[in-house]
Amino acid sequence: MDDLIADFVAECREMLESLGGEIVAWEAQPEDRARLDSIFRFVHTVKGNCGFFDFPRLEALSHAAEDALADVRAGRRRADAQLVSAVLAVIDRIGEMVDVIASGEKLPDGSDDDLVSALQPAADVAPAPVANTAVVGEVAARTAAPRTIRLSVELLDRVMSGVSDMVLARNELARRLRDSSVDVAVDGAFERLSGIIAEMRDAITRTRMQRIENLFVGLPRMVRDLSSELGKQVLVDIDGGDVELDREMIEMIRDPLTHIVRNAVDHGIEKPADRLKAGKREIGLLTVSARQSGNQILIDIVDDGRGIDARRLVDKAIAAGIIAPGDAAGLSAKEKLNLIFEAGLSTAQEVTSISGRGVGMDVVRSNVERIGGIVEIDSKPGQGTRMTLRVPLTLTIIPALTVSIGHQHFAIPRSAIEEIVRANGDSVTLGRVGGAGVATIRGRRVPEIALADVLGLPSTLTDEERTLIVLKPAGGDVYALAVDKVHDHEELVVKPAAPAIMATGLYAGTTLADDGAPILLFDAAGLARVGGVRLENQERANRGADKVQEEGASRTPVLLFRDLAGARRAVRLGVVDRIEEVPAAAIQPGAGLLRVQLGDVILPVAGLDTPPAAGSKVRLFRLNDGCSEVALAFREVIDLAAVLHEVIPADVPGMVEGVTLIEGEPAELIDAHWLFGQLGGARTLAGCERAPVCRLPGNDAWMQNMLRPIVEAAGYRVIGDGSEEQADLVIAAEGSSVEGRGERTLWLSASPDAANENSIYRYDRAALMQALKGGVQ
Amino acid sequence: MNELLLIVRIAGERVALPAAAVESVVELDAVIPVPRAADHVAGLSALRSRVLTVIDCNRALELAPRETGTIQEAAVVEWDGHHYALLVDGVDDVVEALSEASPVRAAMGTGWERVSRGIVQTEEGALLLVDVAALIAGPDAARAAA
């Protein structure tokens, strides 16, 4: 409610301001119809809003003025000097009342009869004294309410840079004062000055910033009006109004945003009947949200309407000569959607009064690009459209964390930070896999890079002494950044850096610290890129073993190591979780196997036959098949390599799968499969529910009714033949055709006689079970 | 009115910068390095609450780096909305150009070749007029464009 009142007050003030000149002109020329109209509109608006807000006094006053003016407009009355004065007195009083409302106080009780009667044609009361015997008398004095003036942004910038200089001068003075011994009184005075300057800087900085709410506040009303005009029902959901944006920037995106929202309501969201037909709720949902992401502000406008018909866009584009018919086929889905930004294209079938006049998205795009932003579009036919405005953060204040490497400070945008953990904390283990850092934080494995390495700066700290900052860049996956020291949270005014600095891809901008020294602000995604972290693939790589093996043995990355007996061996990198070093005492025989205690878990150990000599230390690979873990003892890691040559299989199954040439020398390849088979299952990890998948023909009643329960009992998840999913096993009746997907196929024959080495008699339960079991492994 | 030139010393040579481009001449106290930036970017410095990108002119000309520890005198220029401090050995004088820049026909070092806008006559003799933008862009940009 307060917001609405504030809007009302702002609107009234704005109108009063612009009315100022009109009133004077109208006084000089009471016949002027245009002037009369604008004054009439003002009192009319005030009257309308008053009813809504319950300001009866204001309403009565404006109503009386409206009546009088309506008479003049209708020609029933002449605007004589007396009426003009009376109206002016009313307007003045409205202004006073608005000030009272703005100050948050209740309108004082009182009577406006004097003014109202002055409006009457018969009245010969001189209105002049009335204007002064105000309602508000002494209230007016109190309500030197927030007044507004217009300032050029340039002037604000100058003031801001002046204040920044002042802060720097203060800081220098503070240093000097600390160095010299001065009177306590001087110190006190300086403290006061210092506080005032800080406050002032805060206020000045805020002058340029505005909450994006100001931009959003008008949207619900607009959507309501639009949708009722179009006979649609739309629910608006607004989020992120507290994101702050440069005032100028807000003005620049007002029109594009309005246009996109109108488009979404007009073309995107269907009529209630059509929505019901499409199986959606009658009420369309329009979500407008803003968030800060690195050095950009993202504004999403998402509707759940009919989406954009890419095919029709292409047809239109061809018809309009924007693209050649031959090129259309080669366009990707995204490129097709982006045609909407071409001038002269609109998919609306008919031109409506709301939008679809042919000037549209191309104007939106050029407006957004003019301020260095971009517009992205994503749409699924039948499901809706998402438009994203990305605008730069230039001159916005961003909360940041300052960190340091050596003596140099840097800032990281706080929006990208997930958490901060100490590298030597209990919940964190650091490991290296083939030279790449991996941090395990409370069981979650994330890539780890050291800031000092990325920047090539010298640092005396080891990884364990550092602090890990877990970062989640926009559109990417989490990774951990090891920094030497974390300092402070600060609000920084970020400015764009010179092109030569941006070219590094590491930085989002520069800023000045409180002591006046420049600080570089990192771009979290850029750091990951330069640090060599693959952002998108991260999640999948986490799942471990099976993925790597699928890629074929020809280029499997392996970790080359020497085992305790000195043999040159290799283990597939995908199964290595991390490397641990444990004291010999941690390895004890237990339940028939050697087992190692690592923190609070106990894992079976392979690679050594007897408990190691007391007092020594043993290094272990921690292997992970995605479901369970085992440890493999080794002496030293040689290198990270790839298996390029053929693997000569071992004669008997065992820990060694075979021998191959790695970097010109033979090495034994560890059979992780065998290891897990022998030792595994000791500890099941959370999140391991991947069941093997079996594809059964959906139209075969026997398979569905008789076979399916058996297959499911064997631990498979059953999918139909329509599914695109990769199956571990396909079961098909002999003689039927199966699409070649490179999957293992089990053929079933209908009679025992037809069974051969390729197919199984379908009631041969033992053979079936065996085949199924083979698939599970 | 002839163009005014600022005579500066870069790598021991007296050269001219267009004075109109130079906002001020300052002594920089602290230069914060920018890791991973191009070689000729010496770092960042602050001047009256503005961030300056400091360009090492010797490096921009692909010459041996400047000796450190000397007083860091720099000419501040604005180019394409950003402020730069061009590190020079020293600033001598402001003179009037007595001629238009004419091409240099003698073979110069590649670095000089790249930033040269020609020779201008002044009261202090003929001087090489240096292109500020080329100096800022540095050798890498030129190579990338080639």
Side-chain angles (χ1 to χ4, degrees):
Chain A
M1 193 66 180
D2 285 349
D3 284 354
L4 292 174
I5 290 181
D7 276 355
F8 166 66
V9 168
E11 190 183 359
C12 285
R13 285 208 172 124
E14 210 163 274
M15 287 174 82
L16 276 171
E17 202 175 302
S18 61
L19 220 52
E22 305 275 323
I23 292 173
V24 180
W26 187 52
E27 196 166 21
Q29 249 185 320
E31 306 79 37
D32 189 332
R33 184 62 193 241
R35 301 265 148 71
L36 175 65
D37 283 352
S38 59
I39 295 169
F40 177 77
R41 260 200 307 278
F42 170 68
V43 286
H44 179 76
T45 310
V46 173
K47 190 197 83 173
N49 285 333
C50 288
F52 185 59
F53 286 120
D54 188 30
F55 295 136
R57 203 175 150 195
L58 197 51
E59 186 178 2
L61 195 59
S62 47
H63 188 75
E66 187 190 2
D67 281 351
L69 289 171
D71 282 350
V72 179
R73 272 159 60 98
R76 287 193 291 270
R77 196 174 160 189
R78 274 187 53 79
D80 49 21
Q82 185 218 335
L83 177 69
V84 171
S85 310
V87 170
L88 292 190
V90 169
I91 289 173
D92 283 348
R93 187 158 298 174
I94 290 175
E96 288 167 14
M97 287 181 179
V98 167
D99 285 346
V100 175
I101 294 166
S103 68
E105 289 177 41
K106 261 182 74 74
L107 275 179
D109 291 328
S111 163
D112 299 306
D113 290 346
D114 47 350
L115 289 180
V116 173
S117 60
L119 285 166
Q120 301 308 315
D124 18 42
V125 196
V130 176
N132 294 339
T133 66
V135 210
V136 236
E138 89 300 357
V139 180
R142 266 191 280 142
T143 56
R147 286 166 178 268
T148 56
I149 52 162
R150 285 172 204 281
L151 281 177
S152 75
V153 172
E154 195 189 336
L155 179 62
L156 275 182
D157 280 347
R158 242 172 69 202
V159 174
M160 193 150 137
S161 104
V163 171
S164 302
D165 282 351
M166 202 149 78
V167 171
L168 299 185
R170 175 202 67 184
N171 294 343
E172 188 176 349
L173 188 57
R175 271 198 302 275
R176 300 262 155 108
L177 284 179
R178 266 200 307 275
D179 294 344
S180 55
S181 54
V182 285
D183 204 337
V184 179
V186 175
D187 266 343
F190 175 74
E191 279 308 314
R192 219 177 109 225
L193 178 72
S194 183
I196 294 168
I197 291 175
E199 211 166 276
M200 189 161 158
R201 178 163 104 144
D202 218 39
I204 293 292
T205 316
R206 297 277 158 209
T207 57
R208 279 193 65 105
M209 305 297 292
Q210 229 172 19
R211 283 150 68 97
I212 203 164
E213 210 164 29
N214 292 333
L215 189 57
F216 289 171
V217 78
L219 293 181
R221 173 68 194 273
M222 188 182 90
V223 171
R224 194 199 69 83
D225 290 355
L226 261 180
S227 49
S228 64
E229 198 175 318
L230 294 163
K232 297 179 179 179
Q233 295 179 18
V234 184
L235 186 71
V236 192
D237 182 13
I238 286 179
D239 190 27
D242 52 353
V243 170
E244 287 202 323
L245 196 55
D246 193 72
R247 186 184 303 258
E248 221 171 346
M249 206 64 96
I250 287 192
E251 287 314 312
M252 298 299 276
I253 54 178
R254 189 181 292 276
D255 285 353
L257 178 71
T258 309
H259 197 99
I260 292 174
V261 170
R262 292 175 88 94
N263 260 335
V265 176
D266 193 9
H267 303 314
I269 289 172
E270 312 92 326
K271 291 217 158 76
D274 296 340
R275 291 184 61 88
L276 282 178
K277 236 182 275 168
K280 300 183 194 176
R281 285 200 309 156
E282 262 177 300
I283 304 174
L285 182 65
L286 181 72
T287 312
V288 181
S289 61
R291 63 182 194 280
Q292 189 176 325
S293 163
N295 55 344
Q296 289 178 319
I297 300 279
L298 270 66
I299 302 169
D300 279 336
I301 302 103
V302 184
D303 69 64
D304 65 347
R306 64 168 74 93
I308 294 170
D309 188 340
R311 200 170 35 83
R312 206 160 71 220
L313 263 181
V314 172
D315 292 348
K316 284 227 173 194
I318 294 172
I322 293 165
I323 52 169
D327 296 343
L331 293 177
S332 71
K334 188 133 200 140
E335 286 167 327
K336 285 180 186 164
L337 284 179
N338 278 331
L339 285 173
I340 203 167
F341 296 119
E342 296 294 334
L345 256 196
S346 169
T347 52
Q349 271 162 334
E350 55 200 288
V351 171
T352 68
S353 66
I354 313 301
S355 52
R357 282 173 297 257
V359 288
M361 298 307 296
D362 58 317
V363 179
V364 168
R365 182 167 73 169
S366 62
N367 278 349
V368 173
E369 282 178 357
R370 211 172 49 220
I371 51 170
I374 40 175
V375 190
E376 291 168 339
I377 186 164
D378 187 20
S379 180
K380 289 205 182 65
Q383 292 180 26
T385 305
R386 167 190 295 267
M387 297 283 255
T388 306
L389 295 179
R390 287 172 177 269
V391 292
L393 185 81
T394 313
L395 261 172
T396 51
I397 293 186
I398 77 166
L401 181 74
T402 48
V403 300
S404 67
I405 290 289
H407 296 295
Q408 190 168 356
H409 284 55
F410 297 93
I412 301 174
R414 207 154 25 166
S415 58
I417 299 177
E418 271 211 344
E419 63 172 326
I420 300 169
V421 291
R422 302 232 28 115
N424 57 7
D426 292 338
S427 54
V428 181
T429 35
L430 289 180
R432 297 199 84 73
V433 174
V438 173
T440 310
I441 301 164
R442 289 189 302 277
R444 183 168 68 156
R445 232 186 310 160
V446 296
E448 178 252 350
I449 51 177
L451 187 54
D453 297 343
V454 175
L455 300 180
L457 289 178
S459 163
T460 50
L461 296 189
T462 64
D463 270 2
E464 280 68 28
E465 292 168 318
R466 293 198 173 121
T467 303
L468 291 181
I469 299 179
V470 181
L471 293 171
K472 188 170 189 338
D477 233 312
V478 293
Y479 69 96
L481 183 73
V483 302
D484 284 9
K485 202 157 178 248
V486 171
H487 294 274
D488 213 352
H489 284 293
E490 283 187 65
E491 307 237 306
L492 302 170
V493 179
V494 180
K495 302 207 171 144
I501 293 170
M502 296 308 267
T504 58
L506 281 171
Y507 309 108
T510 61
T511 181
L512 290 174
D514 274 349
D515 64 356
I519 290 187
L520 286 155
L521 178 79
F522 283 126
D523 173 4
L527 271 181
R529 215 162 30 237
V530 175
V533 175
R534 281 189 310 278
L535 289 176
E536 298 93 316
N537 300 334
Q538 170 54 21
E539 273 305 311
R540 253 171 289 141
N542 250 352
R543 267 194 274 146
D546 41 311
K547 180 72 192 164
V548 176
Q549 278 165 350
E550 267 171 29
E551 282 166 9
S554 57
R555 276 214 71 92
T556 312
V558 293
L559 200 54
L560 202 56
F561 68 98
R562 226 170 269 290
D563 72 2
L564 293 181
R568 197 166 183 268
R569 288 183 161 177
V571 59
R572 286 186 174 79
L573 191 56
V575 299
V576 180
D577 195 345
R578 60 174 180 260
I579 292 169
E580 305 259 10
E581 191 173 58
V582 295
I587 301 182
Q588 297 291 342
L593 287 171
L594 278 179
R595 293 175 194 272
V596 61
Q597 183 194 349
L598 291 167
D600 53 0
V601 301
I602 295 176
L603 300 179
V605 185
L608 77 180
D609 305 325
T610 51
S616 63
K617 291 216 169 194
V618 178
R619 301 170 80 187
L620 302 164
F621 290 122
R622 203 158 161 174
L623 307 182
N624 184 332
D625 69 347
C627 287
S628 53
E629 289 183 295
V630 299
L632 175 64
F634 69 99
R635 185 185 293 166
E636 58 174 353
V637 171
I638 302 171
D639 202 0
L640 182 70
V643 176
L644 297 169
H645 298 273
E646 199 189 342
V647 179
I648 302 150
D651 291 343
V652 284
M655 198 159 103
V656 173
E657 172 186 339
V659 183
T660 185
L661 276 180
I662 295 176
E663 295 184 345
E665 282 181 61
E668 293 175 329
L669 197 57
I670 296 288
D671 189 343
H673 182 264
W674 182 88
L675 262 185
F676 277 95
Q678 296 294 309
L679 308 169
R683 177 174 174 244
T684 306
L685 295 173
C688 171
E689 68 272 3
R690 190 195 172 279
V693 178
C694 177
R695 191 193 304 278
L696 288 183
N699 54 4
D700 187 321
W702 184 86
M703 296 254 191
Q704 290 295 329
N705 296 327
M706 313 278 281
L707 189 59
R708 188 171 175 155
I710 300 174
V711 173
E712 283 177 341
Y716 284 86
R717 193 158 55 80
V718 174
I719 56 173
D721 37 14
S723 168
E724 287 296 311
E725 209 176 323
Q726 175 85 24
D728 296 282
L729 180 69
V730 179
I731 300 181
E734 199 173 32
S736 66
S737 67
V738 170
E739 288 173 58
R741 282 195 178 95
E743 296 157 333
R744 196 167 76 93
T745 308
L746 178 63
W747 299 98
L748 297 183
S749 61
S751 79
D753 307 331
N756 52 33
E757 70 266 32
N758 291 325
S759 65
I760 299 172
Y761 172 47
R762 63 182 191 174
Y763 286 116
D764 184 348
R765 196 178 178 108
L768 252 177
M769 289 311 285
Q770 200 176 357
L772 287 175
K773 224 161 137 190
V776 178
Q777 289 165 354
Chain B
M1 182 65 199
N2 284 322
E3 192 182 4
L4 285 177
L5 302 173
L6 181 74
I7 303 181
V8 297
R9 275 174 284 122
I10 298 176
E13 297 214 28
R14 278 159 63 87
V15 295
L17 296 175
V22 179
E23 289 186 357
S24 56
V25 174
V26 295
E27 279 178 21
L28 301 175
D29 356 313
V31 177
I32 310 281
V34 179
R36 297 257 171 186
D39 273 349
H40 70 285
V41 177
L44 299 176
S45 192
L47 176 70
R48 289 197 290 279
S49 64
R50 275 188 326 214
V51 176
L52 300 177
T53 305
V54 183
I55 302 289
D56 184 334
C57 290
N58 289 38
R59 289 272 192 172
L61 294 169
E62 297 166 73
L63 302 170
R66 296 158 39 83
E67 308 143 43
T68 48
T70 51
I71 299 168
Q72 314 222 60
E73 211 165 2
V76 178
V77 297
E78 187 182 343
W79 174 252
D80 206 13
H82 297 281
H83 293 271
Y84 295 89
L86 308 176
L87 279 183
V88 294
D89 297 344
V91 175
D92 286 357
D93 205 356
V94 176
V95 293
E96 230 174 81
L98 300 175
S99 73
E100 292 292 308
S102 57
V104 185
R105 302 217 310 280
M108 298 185 288
T110 45
W112 288 111
E113 195 80 62
R114 197 166 38 74
V115 302
S116 160
R117 275 173 51 189
I119 290 257
V120 281
Q121 283 299 332
T122 69
E123 284 166 7
E124 307 222 349
L127 290 172
L128 183 71
L129 184 61
V130 169
D131 182 356
V132 170
L135 210 51
I136 291 168
D140 295 338
R143 233 171 268 140

